[in-house]
Amino acid sequence: MASLNVGNLGEYLREQRRAAQLSLRQLADATGVSNPYLSQIERGLRKPSADVLQQVAKALRISAETLYVRAGILDEREREELETRAVILADPSINERQKNVLLQIYDSFRRENGFVAGPDADADADGDAGPRKDARPRKGDEAGADATEDQDPHS
């Protein structure tokens, strides 16, 4: 079964590489992964690590989570949760406090519906967590979330 997933992954990577109009050698240069190793992945002979998949995803400008699912590293539900979290965290129209509140609400709904909350959810829900390591400060956030000029006065 693992070889089937790896084969599916290889076919998908080949399609994505061709759609990006990259040769195997160009992809190898962009990722720092050897040309023969990438060739073996595409032919379904090797199962790459998550790090290699992340480098390939970045070079091809595709979702690393999608590759993780195809490689059998991540299941579909986990991918959907990660993508939802990534979209929330990347939204430039809301500040960091609002992002954390939205993630807490998302986690509470998931718990209510019988799903396990994300890896940082317990710390975030308790309010004990500092800024998330993947959160970037935005203009006005340095003075505290309550003093941001982005804040909606109706919230």
Side-chain angles (χ1 to χ4, degrees):
M1 188 162 119
S3 64
L4 183 65
N5 282 343
V6 175
N8 184 26
L9 171 67
E11 291 168 19
Y12 179 75
L13 284 176
R14 182 178 296 121
E15 289 171 10
Q16 294 302 309
R17 177 178 57 77
R18 288 179 177 163
Q21 299 181 339
L22 291 174
S23 69
L24 205 51
R25 181 163 282 129
Q26 289 170 321
L27 182 60
D29 290 342
T31 60
V33 177
S34 77
N35 186 353
Y37 188 69
L38 288 174
S39 175
Q40 290 174 347
I41 294 169
E42 282 192 0
R43 290 181 289 143
L45 302 175
R46 295 279 183 162
K47 183 174 181 178
S49 69
D51 289 338
V52 168
L53 290 174
Q54 187 172 27
Q55 291 168 306
V56 170
K58 186 176 179 180
L60 293 175
R61 297 175 188 232
I62 58 176
S63 164
E65 288 81 10
T66 299
L67 296 183
Y68 296 160
V69 170
R70 289 185 177 265
I73 295 172
L74 190 67
D75 76 16
E76 187 67 24
R77 285 187 183 162
E78 290 173 307
R79 180 185 70 90
E80 290 170 359
E81 178 188 357
L82 288 172
E83 287 178 349
T84 301
R85 290 175 174 285
V87 168
I88 292 169
L89 292 170
D91 189 336
S93 67
I94 58 177
N95 65 41
E96 298 308 313
R97 182 189 62 78
Q98 292 166 333
K99 291 176 186 180
N100 284 329
V101 169
L102 193 51
L103 287 171
Q104 289 172 15
I105 293 167
Y106 174 68
D107 288 333
S108 84
F109 284 146
R110 286 181 53 83
R111 279 192 301 272
E112 185 177 308
N113 292 330
F115 292 98
V116 177
D120 296 331
D122 292 334
D124 287 346
D126 295 339
D128 296 336
R132 298 174 63 96
K133 64 181 177 184
D134 51 350
R136 295 185 310 270
R138 291 175 5 100
K139 180 180 175 187
D141 284 348
E142 300 83 22
D146 294 332
T148 64
E149 57 192 32
D150 303 346
Q151 187 171 357
D152 182 356
H154 303 290
S155 60

